[in-house]
Amino acid sequence: MTPSHFYIYYPVRMGMEADLSRALYNFQSDLQTRTGVVGRILRKADDPWTWMEIYEDVTDGDAFVLALEEAVERHALNRFVDDGGSRHVERFVACA
């Protein structure tokens, strides 16, 4: 099975950056324990309110998506997303 790479980006509610950073630390620790996948967090260079989570080399993409959705609910991450925004999940695989 070809590994998948997940890129999740979203607009952060202004003033919530520090709280989101702490929440993501706990979220990614939980997700790593459940899936074995280590995540990274980035922010857009010219827009500090657009953040991205990256999860690479995921061997079971379908199970990971389910674990990801459950963890988002468990950690209430959507409370940090700016009004009118959403978490955009993109899944990539290597070219042949």
Side-chain angles (χ1 to χ4, degrees):
M1 178 178 274
T2 303
S4 296
H5 310 284
F6 290 83
Y7 302 90
I8 304 163
Y9 60 95
Y10 44 92
V12 175
R13 191 180 302 263
M14 292 177 91
M16 300 290 288
E17 301 89 353
D19 292 335
L20 174 58
S21 185
R22 284 188 294 275
L24 281 174
Y25 174 82
N26 293 328
F27 168 79
Q28 288 189 331
S29 178
D30 178 27
L31 195 58
Q32 181 179 355
T33 298
R34 293 172 187 272
T35 67
V37 177
V38 176
R40 296 186 292 140
I41 305 166
L42 303 172
R43 67 172 175 82
K44 194 170 179 183
D46 60 348
D47 176 6
W49 295 284
T50 299
W51 286 30
M52 176 179 282
E53 299 165 37
I54 299 173
Y55 304 95
E56 298 178 298
D57 298 319
V58 177
T59 56
D60 187 344
D62 294 336
F64 182 76
V65 167
L66 182 59
L68 184 67
E69 291 171 353
E70 290 171 351
V72 166
E73 289 298 316
R74 203 168 32 258
H75 292 272
L77 287 189
N78 287 323
R79 72 183 187 270
F80 298 106
V81 176
D82 196 26
D83 291 336
S86 64
R87 290 172 52 89
H88 300 278
V89 179
E90 304 287 345
R91 181 177 179 181
F92 289 79
V93 296
C95 296

